Amino acid sequence: MAHRDYRAPATIPTTECAMNRGQKYEDHALKQLRYLLSATFRPLGIFLLEISTHETGIPNLENYSTMLRYVCRLLVHVCSTMTQQRNNIALRAINPSFRLDNDAEANYTLPLDEFQQAQAPIPRG
C-alpha cells in the first residue's frame, strides 16, 4: 500500500457541484476514513491465511479464524455505513428532504435510477 496514489471516486459524480462547503467537507472526511478503514482488510486477510496454512498445533485455531472473519464482517459493515452516509450527503445536496432508509436489508450503493427519482423537485407550497 506504500506509495499508492488512490483517489476515491465521488459517490454520485453529478452531485458534487451541488454540495455546499460543509457537505463537501463531510463527504471528503468520510471518503478518507473509508479508504483508511479499507486498508485494514489486507493485513487481516494475510494474517488469517498465514495462521490457517502455515501454523500447526495452535489450540483453538478454528475459533480464532472465526473471530477474525467476524472482525472483517464488522469492518465491512462500517465501510458500507460510511458509503450510505456519503450517498445521503449527495442526495441532500440535490433534495434536502431526501434520506436513504437505514434498513438492514438496504443496498449500500445507490443505483442511478434511484438517484434520478430522488432528484424530483420538491413541491413548494
Side-chain angles (χ1 to χ4, degrees), residues 12 14-15 90-91 94-95 98 100 110-122:
I12 304 170
T14 56
T15 63
L91 287 167
I94 301 299
N95 181 348
F98 187 85
L100 288 175
L110 186 65
L112 183 59
D113 60 331
E114 285 183 38
F115 167 69
Q116 288 169 341
Q117 289 172 4
Q119 286 189 78
I122 303 169

Side-chain angles (χ1 to χ4, degrees), residues 61-113:
L61 179 61
E62 189 173 325
N63 290 339
Y64 298 150
S65 297
T66 301
M67 283 188 282
L68 280 173
R69 281 192 292 276
Y70 283 136
V71 166
C72 288
R73 183 179 286 171
L74 291 169
L75 289 172
V76 165
H77 179 71
V78 171
C79 288
S80 64
T81 300
M82 288 177 165
T83 299
Q84 184 178 19
Q85 291 304 314
R86 290 187 67 216
N87 285 338
N88 276 329
I89 294 166
L91 287 167
R92 283 193 318 266
I94 301 299
N95 181 348
S97 67
F98 187 85
R99 293 200 192 285
L100 288 175
D101 291 335
N102 272 343
D103 185 12
E105 298 298 318
N107 292 326
Y108 292 106
T109 56
L110 186 65
L112 183 59
D113 60 331

